Amino acid sequence: MEDYALSFWIYMGVMSVFVGGAMKKVLASHISAVPTLVAWLCVTVLVVRLCSLWPPAVLALAILCAVCYLLSGRGAPAHTLPTEGKAVLITGCDSGFGKATAHQLDALGFEVFATVLDLSGPGAVDLQRTCSSRLTLLQMDITQPQDVQQAFLTTKAKLGLRGLWGLVNNAGVCVNFGDAELSLMSNYRGCMEVNFFGTLNVTKMFLPLLRLAQGRLVTVSSPAGEQPFPCLAAYGASKAALGMFINTLRHELEPWGVKVSTILPSAFKTGQSINFEYWDKQYKNFVQNLSPGLLEEYGEEYMLETKELFQCHAKTAAEDLSPVINTITDALLSPQPQVRYYAGPGVGLMYFIYCYFPLSLSDKFLQRLFMKKKCHEQRHTKATIDSMVHQRFTGLQDVSLHTGQVTFFPVQ
């Protein structure tokens, strides 16, 4: 009886290791872990079957797990490439991810070319004051071809024959407000101009320097470019176009030795997202330019609630930018960088649900994030009532008037 109890507890210990490993993979933030998760689950089933057929296998597996655990604990730290002599250009360094990345890469020893919209702005001044002499500030609006050309010539002149080790496409904008039907055409064009055409122009311009160094192309994109986030149609469409371009480049640049990575961050407090005056200004511009017909159908209260929803998301966004900065650094320095990085709280789980759960469940997940509006529910109820009334009256075949009364003859 005592032997049975001992075997039982050893068995429970071994199964805890396997099941715990499986759960760890479920909660991991990288979708690439899913095949490993499947493998863990299959091995767990095999272990259960083996232990039921041959009890001594429990002890053998316990010893094996202990040995593997000890060996993994003594493993060498992850190898990274040296930064000496490597140059990186980062777009959009006035604030947010770009500015923080420029700080970190400069501290690691990279020669950093940081592009900003305003050389005299607070972001540029802070970078110049706090970073080393290796950092070079470049004025560049990625939507202006002459700015991109001048930044390229300056960078090429300083690098000589070394080439550019890394290009970090970080600059982007979310010029968007409201549902896809309500979003202004200027919002769609503004997002495409910056997020797609601007990044496209920068990438094409600097590719010869990247190929020369057999370097890294790192692009900060968004889950909104791959998942149908309500109220983010303009922004999402521009990021979807960018994603297709970058993924195509990944295949085309492989023979040249250039590795391509995409960063997919969750919500962070960066740029204008934390500026409530910005959202108020966007809202006023939005309502003033909306057609009277749409304004009447949706109602100004609905648009106001949309603005408040965006502001609420901005309040709850993460302040610590390190998850994104660390993934950019890994993409530049890892001997085998990942194709996709999921950076920030919740984004890995969101992708797991989107990719591996039924569409109905993933849709509910997105709607719970972005469709919490009371006005939306009221509008849905009104639309249902209107539809019922419409169906009732379209089912009438004839109308007769008798002494001021209306007689209805329904279709049989």
Side-chain angles (χ1 to χ4, degrees):
M1 189 68 179
E2 292 180 356
D3 292 338
Y4 174 80
L6 178 62
S7 299
F8 172 79
W9 287 113
I10 295 176
Y11 174 83
M12 291 300 295
V14 173
M15 294 313 301
S16 297
V17 171
F18 277 88
V19 174
M23 292 304 298
K24 182 179 179 181
K25 295 302 180 183
V26 171
L27 299 174
S29 60
H30 299 291
I31 297 301
S32 59
V34 171
T36 310
L37 167 62
V38 175
W40 269 106
L41 294 177
C42 292
V43 170
T44 301
V45 174
L46 291 175
V47 168
V48 172
R49 185 61 179 164
L50 178 61
C51 291
S52 64
L53 294 176
W54 188 46
V58 176
L59 182 59
L61 284 170
I63 296 173
L64 177 61
C65 288
V67 171
C68 291
Y69 177 79
L70 292 174
L71 290 177
S72 63
R74 296 177 181 178
H79 172 66
T80 59
L81 300 175
T83 61
E84 185 179 358
K86 289 184 171 62
V88 177
L89 185 137
I90 312 165
T91 64
C93 295
D94 297 86
S95 62
F97 299 143
K99 182 182 174 185
T101 301
H103 270 293
Q104 176 151 312
L105 296 186
D106 177 74
L108 290 174
F110 279 101
E111 180 179 356
V112 177
F113 294 87
T115 76
V116 293
L117 284 173
D118 185 3
L119 286 173
S120 59
V125 172
D126 182 69
L127 284 173
Q128 195 73 66
R129 179 178 57 85
T130 57
C131 292
S132 71
S133 59
R134 293 188 305 273
L135 183 133
T136 301
L137 285 173
L138 301 172
Q139 192 283 323
M140 184 173 75
D141 181 344
I142 65 172
T143 66
Q144 302 299 317
Q146 63 272 19
D147 284 5
V148 178
Q149 174 76 16
Q150 185 57 53
F152 170 76
L153 293 176
T154 302
T155 304
K156 183 179 180 181
K158 291 200 69 171
L159 292 177
L161 299 177
R162 283 188 297 149
L164 185 67
W165 173 255
L167 170 60
V168 180
N169 284 321
N170 166 71
V173 65
C174 182
V175 185
N176 187 81
F177 199 100
D179 298 25
E181 183 183 13
L182 302 177
S183 296
L184 306 175
M185 286 304 297
S186 60
N187 289 347
Y188 286 98
R189 292 191 178 97
C191 284
M192 288 297 295
E193 193 64 34
V194 177
N195 299 336
F196 178 65
F197 289 112
T199 305
L200 167 66
N201 190 24
V202 171
T203 303
K204 285 174 61 68
M205 182 66 68
F206 283 89
L207 269 181
L209 297 182
L210 280 180
R211 287 190 283 105
L212 183 62
Q214 293 187 327
R216 306 289 171 86
L217 174 61
V218 182
T219 301
V220 180
S221 188
S222 169
E226 300 178 352
Q227 301 185 34
F229 284 88
C231 300
L232 288 176
Y235 178 71
S238 65
K239 289 294 187 178
L242 175 63
M244 180 57 69
F245 168 65
I246 294 299
N247 277 322
T248 303
L249 270 182
R250 180 168 57 84
H251 294 289
E252 295 173 348
L253 293 177
E254 186 177 358
W256 296 92
V258 176
K259 298 186 184 301
V260 178
S261 298
T262 300
I263 312 296
L264 297 160
S266 60
F268 289 90
K269 292 184 178 179
T270 61
Q272 296 286 7
S273 66
I274 57 177
N275 185 350
F276 282 12
E277 292 181 2
Y278 168 78
W279 291 115
D280 290 335
K281 183 179 178 181
Q282 287 287 308
Y283 171 72
K284 291 177 182 178
N285 180 64
F286 176 62
V287 173
Q288 289 172 359
N289 290 278
L290 199 62
S291 69
L294 284 176
L295 184 60
E296 182 180 357
E297 282 193 51
Y298 280 80
E300 189 170 345
E301 186 180 356
Y302 179 81
M303 268 74 81
L304 182 61
E305 197 169 5
T306 302
K307 182 199 76 168
E308 292 172 351
L309 181 62
F310 270 76
Q311 290 179 331
C312 180
H313 282 299
K315 285 181 182 178
T316 58
E319 295 185 10
D320 180 15
L321 307 184
S322 60
V324 177
I325 311 310
N326 291 338
T327 56
I328 293 175
T329 304
D330 186 76
L332 292 170
L333 290 178
S334 174
Q336 294 297 328
Q338 298 179 31
V339 172
R340 297 159 66 86
Y341 288 89
Y342 303 93
V347 67
L349 175 62
M350 180 177 63
Y351 265 91
F352 185 86
I353 293 173
Y354 178 71
C355 295
Y356 296 99
F357 277 52
L359 187 61
S360 58
L361 292 180
S362 63
D363 284 348
K364 288 183 184 297
F365 181 78
L366 290 180
Q367 288 167 3
R368 283 182 64 85
L369 288 177
F370 283 87
M371 304 298 285
K372 300 176 183 176
K373 293 180 273 191
K374 296 177 182 178
C375 291
H376 176 78
E377 296 174 359
Q378 294 170 0
R379 185 161 59 97
H380 176 72
T381 302
K382 180 179 180 300
T384 303
I385 295 174
D386 290 344
S387 176
M388 292 173 62
V389 173
H390 176 72
Q391 291 176 7
R392 170 65 177 167
F393 279 90
T394 53
L396 302 177
Q397 187 177 41
D398 192 16
V399 177
S400 296
L401 298 178
H402 298 287
T403 62
Q405 295 181 345
V406 181
T407 304
F408 299 103
F409 298 91
V411 176
Q412 300 296 324

